[in-house]
Amino acid sequence: MPIKEFSTADLNTISRTNSVSNVLKKINGVGSSTEVHVFLLAGQSNMVGRAAFDSGTGYPAGTLQYPQPTGYPTYTDTTTIAASPPLDHWDENPGDMGLALQFTIDYASATGVRVVLIPAADGGTGFVSNHWNPGDAQYEHAVDATNALMAANPDWIFKGILWHQGEADKTNSNFKVQFHKMIQQMREDITVADQNTPFILGQLLVGGGGTSVLNSAVLTNTPTYNYQTALVSSASLTSSDNLHFDAASLRTFGTRYQTDFSGLSNPYPTAETGAVGHWIFGTGNQLYIDLTGSATNLTENGTTPTFDYNTLQIAGQADGLLSAITEPSNLTMCLVFAYTVSGYILNGTLTTSAVSSNGVSMYISNGLWMNERNGFGNLQIATTSDLSSGYNFVAMSVDSSDNYIGYLGDSTSTTVISGTGSGRNASTRALSVGDVHYNSFPFVGTPKIAEAIFFDSAKTEAELDDIYTRSVARMSARNITVN
């Protein structure tokens, strides 16, 4: 039998994988035309899997893993090895069987692809104990290992993050903010991921010793308030120690993870057509990422807002979020906010009168007002009695000829004012959410905001009606009822 000569492609494969068995498979045509899909496995011990391997079906032929110690901490070595129980997480025990086993079996069967796993879970780790916040060792390892492996194998496809964790944070009151920020930051820091990269998390053991009302609520709420995520049910799953799933349950759990991954159905909302900036706020958008994808992410000015699942609360006077959008001559600003009676600026470019002779804003001061300095001036859109004690959709539109509309949405009787001012005088400042530019009494309140949209066009009343209707639907999906 003649000796097969190595081609350039074969030599590249050898260099990239450092795995003789994989090279031989490549040379002999096994998987040579098959896509390779990569998954990051992260969290704590139930992702590692503490049950002993059940001696059932193992990983499909060709499944690889990137062992945790191999790259850590420099990641100059990106050697992969065959996947077998236990995967090489931080603290696996001999014979550990994780949920990733059945997930991989089902996923490979459904898709026909080869799977590569990055095991990065660590038992007992949490946010309160400084393991999974950005900058913590376990978080940085998960990101760095993924980036290194994908850089070394640019033809592989990163498909998503499988997560199981929460027991360590059963009494952590900051868990929802920390966990939701990590999801967004991890998608940002993994170079081959984006904010639409799937993040699949598992429910904790029902009634288990690591399960509390607090951590269960955070996980349950994640798919509602953090897009492109799914919560995998642990209903009917069992445990031998009241904490870790048993082997049979890990098989079932893995199948459920694959099913929920394949059926993921809560994508990011589509930005308003023509918007130059569109943000939905809450714990799931602590990076202030713009739905338009126009690189106009907001930046904090002053104190960091306080986050709830579906809103943020600006700290007060001279605090707010600054966009990269210079006030245009034709402008529409839309906002959903929770009304309180104290005075505060909702958005815009308005400064104190001693500082500048231009600028626009919507603000609360004994009702809803809008202002264009040296243009149409101060105009009241709605009185206090017009505003809902809950959430309101408000908008201001002005064109280059100083034709204006002030708008308060209402399910029964929308409030609208309109007219023409004395002349448009746009500022050179960037539009803000909250009070960035105006640092003076009486605007010292703390507005709670759910959505903000900026356009570089002046919308008509009919167009504002349509935006209002769509905003009501977007907010309803986040359990906010807009008046």
Side-chain angles (χ1 to χ4, degrees):
M1 179 177 180
I3 298 175
K4 178 176 177 65
E5 293 184 357
F6 286 86
S7 67
T8 300
D10 294 331
L11 293 174
N12 288 339
T13 302
I14 294 171
S15 173
R16 186 170 68 246
T17 65
N18 279 331
S19 173
V20 173
S21 63
N22 292 332
V23 172
L24 290 175
K25 289 177 183 177
K26 186 78 172 182
I27 292 169
N28 289 303
V30 178
S32 59
S33 61
T34 302
E35 284 187 356
V36 176
H37 290 184
V38 181
F39 290 89
L40 171 63
L41 314 175
Q44 56 184 109
S45 56
N46 269 317
M47 179 54 73
V48 179
R50 291 302 189 220
F53 178 51
D54 60 6
S55 299
T57 304
Y59 283 95
T63 304
L64 301 176
Q65 63 166 315
Y66 181 28
Q68 182 270 329
T70 298
Y72 186 78
T74 63
Y75 308 100
T76 55
D77 184 354
T78 54
T79 303
T80 54
I81 63 173
S84 62
L87 294 177
D88 208 343
H89 292 275
W90 285 82
D91 69 337
E92 74 286 350
N93 298 318
D96 278 350
M97 185 182 104
L99 63 88
L101 173 56
Q102 193 62 44
F103 171 86
T104 303
I105 293 170
D106 292 353
Y107 185 81
S109 175
T111 61
V113 305
R114 292 178 62 209
V115 175
V116 175
L117 304 170
I118 303 173
D122 194 357
T125 55
F127 294 85
V128 69
S129 50
N130 298 318
H131 294 100
W132 288 107
N133 304 286
D136 293 342
Q138 279 73 9
Y139 174 92
E140 294 300 323
H141 164 67
V143 168
D144 291 345
T146 304
N147 286 340
L149 189 64
M150 297 308 295
N153 300 277
D155 54 331
W156 293 359
I157 303 170
F158 185 69
K159 296 298 290 186
I161 301 158
L162 308 186
W163 175 271
H164 195 283
Q165 189 274 338
E167 296 92 342
D169 290 283
K170 62 184 291 186
T171 61
N172 176 13
S173 60
N174 292 321
F175 183 39
K176 71 178 180 183
V177 173
Q178 293 172 319
F179 178 50
H180 284 192
K181 183 174 184 179
M182 185 217 67
I183 295 173
Q184 195 177 40
Q185 191 67 59
M186 188 173 281
R187 288 166 165 167
E188 191 83 355
D189 291 344
I190 293 174
T191 56
V192 291
D194 59 31
Q195 291 303 317
N196 285 306
T197 295
F199 188 101
I200 312 300
L201 60 146
Q203 188 179 16
L204 305 180
L205 179 69
V206 177
T211 305
S212 69
V213 172
L214 187 155
N215 58 12
S216 294
V218 171
L219 301 181
T220 299
N221 280 314
T222 298
T224 301
Y225 303 110
N226 211 311
Y227 298 111
Q228 285 296 88
T229 65
L231 177 69
V232 183
S233 171
S234 66
S236 77
L237 301 188
T238 54
S239 165
S240 60
D241 62 1
N242 202 36
L243 182 64
H244 301 104
F245 299 103
D246 57 35
S249 293
L250 288 172
R251 290 280 186 183
T252 302
F253 219 11
T255 292
R256 292 177 182 178
Y257 264 75
Q258 194 277 328
T259 299
D260 286 357
F261 174 86
S262 299
L264 190 63
S265 60
N266 64 334
Y268 272 75
T270 302
E272 282 290 331
T273 301
V276 291
H278 187 171
W279 302 270
I280 292 178
F281 297 118
T283 52
N285 193 11
Q286 296 175 59
L287 302 185
Y288 314 116
I289 288 175
D290 176 11
L291 290 179
T292 72
S294 300
T296 55
N297 297 351
L298 301 168
T299 56
E300 292 177 2
N301 282 255
T303 305
T304 298
T306 301
F307 293 93
D308 205 340
Y309 282 120
N310 50 13
T311 61
L312 60 77
Q313 188 159 15
I314 302 294
Q317 181 178 308
D319 293 299
L321 303 170
L322 188 64
S323 75
I325 305 166
T326 301
E327 180 189 333
S329 294
N330 296 289
L331 167 68
T332 301
M333 302 187 294
C334 304
L335 202 76
V336 173
F337 77 106
Y339 172 67
T340 56
V341 296
S342 60
Y344 45 85
I345 287 180
L346 291 170
N347 54 21
T349 61
L350 193 66
T351 67
T352 56
S353 58
V355 173
S356 175
S357 60
N358 53 25
V360 294
S361 179
M362 288 192 291
Y363 63 93
I364 296 296
S365 179
N366 190 28
L368 172 66
W369 294 73
M370 64 182 187
N371 178 277
E372 181 191 39
R373 186 170 292 134
N374 285 340
F376 56 70
N378 283 291
L379 297 173
Q380 188 174 43
I381 300 173
T383 66
T384 299
S385 61
D386 293 325
L387 292 160
S388 165
S389 59
Y391 287 87
N392 297 268
F393 175 92
V394 298
M396 166 187 161
S397 170
V398 60
D399 68 15
S400 58
S401 298
D402 213 24
N403 299 301
Y404 62 81
I405 297 174
Y407 185 100
L408 170 64
D410 192 289
S411 58
T412 58
S413 180
T414 297
T415 302
V416 179
I417 64 170
S418 62
T420 303
S422 60
R424 183 79 171 102
N425 183 23
S427 79
T428 58
R429 292 179 293 279
L431 297 170
S432 72
V433 177
D435 182 4
V436 171
H437 303 291
Y438 200 105
N439 184 15
S440 182
F441 185 82
F443 300 114
V444 296
T446 58
K448 184 180 289 186
I449 300 172
E451 181 177 39
I453 317 168
F454 295 143
F455 298 88
D456 61 358
S457 58
K459 299 300 182 183
T460 65
E461 181 180 342
E463 289 172 324
L464 292 175
D465 287 337
D466 291 340
I467 297 169
Y468 164 65
T469 299
R470 290 189 292 268
S471 180
V472 167
R474 284 190 295 267
M475 294 299 98
S476 177
R478 296 173 65 79
N479 293 322
I480 287 177
T481 299
V482 178
N483 184 40

